[in-house]
Amino acid sequence: MNVINSLINGLQLGGITMLISSILDNTISSKETTDLIKSDSDLYIQGLQSNYINLLIIGPLYYIIVYNFFLDHTKDGFYVIDYIQIVFINNILYYLAHFMMHKVSFLKFMHEFHHLFKKTIPSTGNAVSMSEFNFAYIIPFVIACLKVIPNNITLKMSVGTISLLNTFIHTPNFEYLIYYPLFVSPANHIKHHENRSGTYAAPLLNIDYLIKEFCIYFNYYKEITKLKINYFLKNE
């Protein structure tokens, strides 16, 4: 069991995520960060503390387990198909977890801390309770690994992609970027923080949009079918 190497890999992922969000907090989002400190310094400190705990303690501990028991170390290089599967599974499972934390009464406590941030900054992406980090951030990756059995580099790229996108959609300075509706935009997610709007997808595929489009198409298809049946009956 390679504990040291797996721990280093986990710390690398958490450390890079923290570094990027910290740089963004203090550069392009410096005004928003300053405003948060002025309005609620305790919340800002709690957000930073949760980042440290989640990214540098909980995440690396899970990575030790995943690295040693759920990865295929006989695979060499980067596997695109495995990468796509992991990212896709993560998006689906995060959507379900996020939806449940809003709708299932005994799970709502997990998500309350994250929604104290009405105005977000980049590091808000990982400013979540330990229970939410386990339930909505870690478990989807564990399940994806059990399904895909990736190698280390493919998993790291998958986790890194999701982590960067999570930071990105919490960055208010990117709110005005124009997105294709298939993807979750910073505007989508920041609006969710402001009014808890019914958008639960993050951080890549806009599953809310896909469900809405499917329902529109399904209803349209039903109406067309009904018209065809009525026409056939009338002209029989």
Side-chain angles (χ1 to χ4, degrees):
M1 184 170 177
N2 199 335
V3 175
I4 301 300
N5 193 42
S6 54
L7 177 61
I8 290 171
N9 277 271
L11 288 171
Q12 284 176 341
L13 283 168
I16 290 171
T17 300
M18 280 206 64
L19 177 62
I20 292 172
S21 62
S22 180
I23 290 172
L24 292 174
D25 279 355
N26 294 285
T27 53
I28 64 173
S29 295
S30 59
K31 181 184 180 300
E32 290 76 12
T33 301
T34 301
D35 290 343
L36 175 58
I37 293 170
K38 288 180 178 178
S39 63
D40 195 338
S41 60
D42 287 342
L43 181 61
Y44 172 72
I45 292 170
Q46 289 171 24
L48 289 182
Q49 288 174 339
S50 62
N51 269 256
Y52 281 107
I53 293 169
N54 292 331
L55 295 173
L56 299 182
I57 298 176
I58 297 176
L61 288 176
Y62 269 102
Y63 207 86
I64 293 172
I65 298 170
V66 171
Y67 182 94
N68 286 282
F69 296 104
F70 303 151
L71 299 186
D72 184 351
H73 297 287
T74 65
K75 292 180 178 178
D76 292 322
F78 175 68
Y79 283 68
V80 175
I81 300 301
D82 288 358
Y83 169 83
I84 293 171
Q85 287 186 83
I86 293 170
V87 171
F88 179 76
I89 292 170
N90 177 272
N91 270 253
I92 297 296
L93 295 181
Y94 176 80
Y95 176 84
L96 295 173
H98 191 194
F99 181 85
M100 288 191 290
M101 289 188 295
H102 275 270
K103 299 298 183 181
V104 180
S105 57
F106 69 87
L107 296 177
K108 289 182 178 180
F109 78 95
M110 296 183 184
H111 200 46
E112 288 301 317
F113 173 65
H114 190 59
H115 269 291
L116 293 178
F117 294 88
K118 304 287 187 193
K119 301 292 183 181
T120 66
I121 59 175
S123 59
T124 303
N126 289 286
V128 298
S129 67
M130 287 187 287
S131 55
E132 177 173 353
F133 192 74
N134 281 275
F135 180 62
Y137 285 49
I138 296 291
I139 290 178
F141 276 118
V142 173
I143 293 173
C145 286
L146 288 170
K147 170 66 173 66
V148 178
I149 317 294
N151 62 8
N152 185 46
I153 188 170
T154 304
L155 176 61
K156 286 179 73 175
M157 291 294 290
S158 305
V159 174
T161 299
I162 295 298
S163 296
L164 287 174
L165 289 172
N166 188 36
T167 300
F168 193 83
I169 64 172
H170 285 89
T171 303
N173 312 82
F174 299 147
E175 189 173 2
Y176 302 104
L177 294 178
I178 298 173
Y179 265 59
Y180 186 72
L182 179 61
F183 303 107
V184 177
S185 69
N188 293 144
H189 199 72
I190 289 169
K191 182 181 178 183
H192 176 74
H193 272 267
E194 290 173 349
N195 56 25
R196 299 201 182 203
S197 58
T199 54
Y200 307 107
L204 178 60
L205 294 175
N206 193 344
I207 297 171
D208 301 289
Y209 169 78
L210 292 173
I211 292 173
K212 179 182 176 182
E213 289 298 303
F214 174 78
C215 290
I216 291 171
Y217 174 80
F218 184 70
N219 288 330
Y220 172 78
Y221 180 78
K222 282 201 305 183
E223 290 301 318
I224 293 296
T225 303
K226 189 186 298 182
L227 288 172
K228 287 181 177 178
I229 292 172
N230 289 336
Y231 178 81
F232 175 77
L233 292 174
K234 287 178 182 178
N235 293 277
E236 191 176 42

